[in-house]
Amino acid sequence: MARGLADMTARERTLSAIRTGLGVSGSDKIRASSAAERLKHHPSGTVPARAKGEIENLATLFADMLEGQAASLDWIAREEDVPEAVARYLRDLNLAARVRIGEDEMLSELPWKMAGALEIASGPAEPSDTTGITRAQVGAAETGTLFLTSGPDNPTTLNFLPETHIAVIRKSDIVGGYEDAWNRLRKSYGEGTLPRNVNLISGPSRTADIEQTMVMGAHGPRRLHVIVVG
Amino acid sequence: MQPRSHNFKENAARALHDDVLQSALSNVRSGFVAKRARARSALPEFDQLCNEARDIKNHTLAHLDLYLEAYEAKVVEHGGHVHWAADAAEACGIIADICRQQNARTVTKGKSMIGEEIAINDHLEHAGFEVFETDLGEYLIQIRGEAPSHIIGPAIHLTRPQIEADFRRTHTDLPAERDLSNAENLVAEARAVLRERFVAADVGITGANLLIAETGTSVIVTNEGNGDLTQTLPRTHIVIASIEKMAPTLEDANTILRILARSATGQDMSTYTTYSTGPKRDGDLDGPDNYHVVLLDNGRSAMLGGQFHDMLCCIRCGACLNHCPVYNAVGGHAYGWVYPGPMGAVLTPSLVGVEEAGHLPNASSFCGRCEAVCPMSIPLPKMMRHWREREVDQGRMPLGQRTAFKAWAFLAKRPALYHAATSIGVGFLSLLGRRKGAIRSLPLLSGWTRNRDLPAPQGRTFQDQWRAGWRT
Ligand code: SF4
């Protein structure tokens, strides 16, 4: 039974106005299958040529892009050297030897105690934290972009609240384009689903809101340091 | 905010005589324009990606009802809530209700043009909530009680000394002798002041650059990280987004994101691109308990299939503002509402009505640069012409102006003639304007220039320069 406009919910009104504008009905089979197909197969558009290549080239591009966006990088061979690399970075910049990490399976197993007087806390970030450490599941070389996923292992606040953010990534987790990165996440989380947050991070926080002058550390971290392992 | 677009002439005249504003506006050209050109030339696939992005939007709009339904189902599947709002009043009412249900006192906000469009801050403040903008540019205009003057750089009309004065006026608990003579110190002060707000907030409101149907995800693009603190620290995260922000899949979002930052700030990718899907999950140690999306129509469904359909492809990159000689001359406030420049001249009459904003499409030199730089190839000049013609047809223009515009329309439809006529015009105009660098009266269009000075054309017409390689 047809109802008057006043009886319709905002949802029905909006959808019906869209259909009227488009001159279609909601039950058109061809339209429905065209949308459903796209959602199911999520076809890729053009991927920039520079996002294709061997891992060595991609790792170099990844680093160059990140450095171009004012992040710093460190390359280490072995996972067990991460704590020492962290301690060294903080020492060199004269930063407090205090870090907070999540329960990431790779990070929490590391020999943190060996890394001198580094003070370690876990859990989500507190406003007083100075350095947060998280692991990037994957990194896209095309723009030097880290993909960080939320979860008990890597709380999102660690990426944003402390003044210094250290991200650890395995070299084998560096891929070319965003498509490769999302396909990795689809493998971990399943099709059509994502964790609460996927944070794509391509450098430290910045603003140009004052006379277009670039200033680092607007609200998020002033420094982004990326440790590539492998 | 209440539209004041009918005052365009007066606003523009004032803007042209405002030396402080003029000095602030000079940053637009040296900043955004040059950076975009560099980013574009560094990506050989840029134009191809623009074409694909346009195809994606066309496909999405043609299936918008279906993607909205699919998106809604996915948000719900992930534990979030979707609210539909036909207009600004409904959207504001929904948001205030959510805040009340949460017993909220303070609300933080990430930058959102939809927030500006529906004037959510005013509404929430009247309802008794404290609202704090957290994007630095939005914070600056909030403490000044102003509207944004640019869709991606809301405070681009301000100079450093003005900001220093505002901070001294509003941050009165800080020592008077502190040094605020450079941008670094101003940013550091804003960071410290807003840090407390983030931590204390009960509700965080963000906009969305994209909504993804495949996963029920909202995406925000920022450089400061304020949006992330806004949406991660409070118990409740509310997203306000208009219905045309839809992208079917993660791949479609990739294509759009590859051209968005490059067109906007000239970055390859914004510092933070954040995908949010539902509230925090079982076991998560941070993130909001509640996730709400308010889907706003506010006139957009009525644009579908009509003369202004293409405007729904806009990704709000701001390139058309940055490259517009009129925007560069008068700034964003002259346009009188939240969307300035060429995109605003087309969109504002669609959203607030031709009675209020019918003047805006006249705020154009029809040089065509906006369309040339628009990553979505939106035919902005053509659509401004539609509005002009409607205004002429409805007899809203004074007679002299009407005749002039009819003549202009005649020429504009004939590119060779138009080019010849405007070339003559430029030679003539620069003679007239030579003494002061600005033109104070124009014989044919005196009705149009009475209340504003046109900047004197510098040498060649835009079309000449465009042909000579200025196009990018
Ligand atoms: S109209 Fe085009 S150039 Fe202007 S903001 Fe929209 S997408 Fe960008």
Side-chain angles (χ1 to χ4, degrees), chain A residues 11 19 31 38 46 49 142 157 179 186 193-194 196 198 200 202 205-207 209 211-212 219-220, chain B residues 31-32 45 52 65 72 78 134 137 160 191 195 223-224 251-252 258 271 273 275 277-278 281 286:
Chain A
R11 180 182 191 279
R19 287 170 185 141
R31 289 175 74 245
R38 191 175 192 96
T46 291
E142 73 168 290
T157 45
E179 286 71 9
R186 283 190 180 109
T193 187
L194 288 175
R196 151 70 190 169
V198 182
L200 275 58
S202 309
S205 160
R206 68 198 62 200
T207 182
D209 274 344
E211 294 186 339
Q212 297 244 311
H219 291 294
Chain B
F32 291 138
E45 295 87 356
E52 291 175 15
D65 51 332
E72 179 186 39
H78 286 104
T134 62
R160 195 208 51 77
R191 178 185 170 106
R195 201 33 89 98
N223 279 318
E224 299 183 3
E251 277 73 5
D252 295 328
R258 283 188 175 111
T271 305
T273 304
Y275 292 65
T277 312
R281 305 297 151 77
D286 53 17

Side-chain angles (χ1 to χ4, degrees), chain A residues 10-15 17-22 24-26 28 30-36 38-51 65 69 103 123-125 127 142-143 145 147 150-163 177-179 182-183 186 191-222, chain B residues 27 31-32 42-43 45 48-49 52 56 59 61-70 72 74 78 84-86 90 134-137 153 155-156 158-161 163 183-184 186-187 190-191 194-195 198-199 213-215 217 223-226 228-229 231-233 237 243 248-252 254-255 258 262 267-281 283-286 288 291 297 301 304-305 309:
Chain A
R11 180 182 191 279
E12 291 166 332
R13 262 182 288 155
T14 304
L15 290 173
I18 290 171
R19 287 170 185 141
T20 307
L22 294 172
V24 298
S25 81
D28 180 332
I30 298 173
R31 289 175 74 245
S33 80
S34 148
R38 191 175 192 96
L39 291 175
K40 185 158 171 230
H41 300 295
H42 41 78
S44 170
T46 291
V47 177
R50 70 166 185 233
M65 295 304 295
Q69 287 143 175
E103 290 155 18
E142 73 168 290
T143 49
T145 300
F147 285 58
S150 63
D153 46 354
N154 288 291
T156 304
T157 45
L158 292 178
N159 301 331
F160 292 99
L161 212 44
E163 285 218 337
Y178 309 139
E179 286 71 9
W182 289 116
N183 283 332
R186 283 190 180 109
E191 290 276 333
T193 187
L194 288 175
R196 151 70 190 169
N197 277 137
V198 182
N199 294 113
L200 275 58
I201 299 184
S202 309
S205 160
R206 68 198 62 200
T207 182
D209 274 344
I210 300 178
E211 294 186 339
Q212 297 244 311
T213 309
M214 191 60 78
V215 178
M216 308 313 279
H219 291 294
R222 285 178 210 272
Chain B
N27 293 321
F32 291 138
L43 186 72
E45 295 87 356
Q48 172 65 19
L49 287 162
E52 291 175 15
I56 289 168
H59 167 88
L61 291 174
H63 301 79
L64 187 58
D65 51 332
L66 303 170
Y67 285 125
L68 284 166
E69 288 174 330
E72 179 186 39
K74 277 290 177 185
H78 286 104
W84 300 68
E90 279 187 23
T134 62
D135 170 83
L136 179 59
I156 199 135
L158 297 178
T159 59
R160 195 208 51 77
I163 297 166
E184 282 77 15
L186 290 165
V187 171
R191 178 185 170 106
L194 285 166
R195 201 33 89 98
F198 284 123
V199 177
E214 178 191 352
T215 47
T217 299
N223 279 318
E224 299 183 3
N226 65 304
D228 293 281
L229 294 173
Q231 65 166 56
T232 307
L233 295 173
H237 175 198
I243 52 175
T249 66
L250 293 165
E251 277 73 5
D252 295 328
N254 294 342
T255 299
R258 283 188 175 111
R262 290 183 170 99
Q267 292 168 283
D268 294 315
M269 186 72 161
S270 297
T271 305
Y272 301 115
T273 304
T274 298
Y275 292 65
S276 303
T277 312
K280 76 175 184 196
R281 305 297 151 77
D284 281 2
L285 306 173
D286 53 17
Y291 175 76
D297 180 347
S301 59
L304 278 169
H309 177 101

Side-chain angles (χ1 to χ4, degrees), chain B residues 21-287:
Chain B
L21 174 67
Q22 291 301 324
S23 114
L25 286 172
S26 68
N27 293 321
V28 173
R29 179 156 295 276
S30 57
F32 291 138
V33 170
K35 287 180 194 154
R36 172 194 169 272
R38 271 202 300 277
R40 175 177 183 259
S41 60
L43 186 72
E45 295 87 356
F46 183 85
D47 289 348
Q48 172 65 19
L49 287 162
C50 289
N51 290 337
E52 291 175 15
R54 180 61 198 252
D55 291 346
I56 289 168
K57 268 291 177 197
N58 282 337
H59 167 88
T60 309
L61 291 174
H63 301 79
L64 187 58
D65 51 332
L66 303 170
Y67 285 125
L68 284 166
E69 288 174 330
Y71 165 80
E72 179 186 39
K74 277 290 177 185
V75 174
V76 172
E77 186 185 311
H78 286 104
H81 304 270
V82 176
H83 310 262
W84 300 68
D87 57 24
E90 279 187 23
C92 288
I94 292 164
I95 294 167
D97 282 346
I98 298 170
C99 293
R100 269 189 288 269
Q101 280 157 18
Q102 293 299 320
N103 290 319
R105 287 186 47 234
T106 68
V107 177
T108 45
K109 259 193 83 239
K111 179 176 145 33
S112 157
M113 287 311 297
I114 300 299
E116 297 289 345
E117 182 180 324
I118 65 174
I120 186 61
N121 291 7
D122 291 349
H123 186 88
L124 290 178
E125 279 162 10
H126 281 137
F129 303 102
E130 272 192 295
V131 186
F132 299 101
E133 293 286 353
T134 62
D135 170 83
L136 179 59
E138 288 285 340
Y139 176 69
L140 295 175
I141 60 172
Q142 186 184 31
I143 61 178
R144 293 172 65 86
E146 287 181 340
S149 66
H150 190 291
I151 59 174
I152 63 162
I156 199 135
H157 59 288
L158 297 178
T159 59
R160 195 208 51 77
Q162 287 175 299
I163 297 166
E164 172 172 357
D166 290 325
F167 278 17
R168 294 198 185 281
R169 176 174 56 78
T170 48
H171 303 161
T172 45
D173 47 347
L174 296 173
E177 65 281 4
R178 69 197 189 278
D179 177 13
L180 294 178
S181 63
N182 57 55
E184 282 77 15
N185 290 4
L186 290 165
V187 171
E189 180 161 316
R191 178 185 170 106
V193 168
L194 285 166
R195 201 33 89 98
E196 296 164 24
R197 309 296 186 208
F198 284 123
V199 177
D202 303 303
V203 172
I205 300 178
T206 67
N209 293 82
L210 293 164
L211 303 173
I212 301 176
E214 178 191 352
T215 47
T217 299
S218 54
V219 182
I220 58 169
V221 170
T222 78
N223 279 318
E224 299 183 3
N226 65 304
D228 293 281
L229 294 173
T230 297
Q231 65 166 56
T232 307
L233 295 173
R235 282 193 313 275
T236 300
H237 175 198
I238 304 176
V239 177
I240 39 179
S242 51
I243 52 175
E244 86 283 9
K245 291 288 180 332
M246 188 59 60
T249 66
L250 293 165
E251 277 73 5
D252 295 328
N254 294 342
T255 299
I256 294 169
L257 288 169
R258 283 188 175 111
I259 59 171
L260 176 58
R262 290 183 170 99
S263 297
T265 53
Q267 292 168 283
D268 294 315
M269 186 72 161
S270 297
T271 305
Y272 301 115
T273 304
T274 298
Y275 292 65
S276 303
T277 312
K280 76 175 184 196
R281 305 297 151 77
D282 282 349
D284 281 2
L285 306 173
D286 53 17

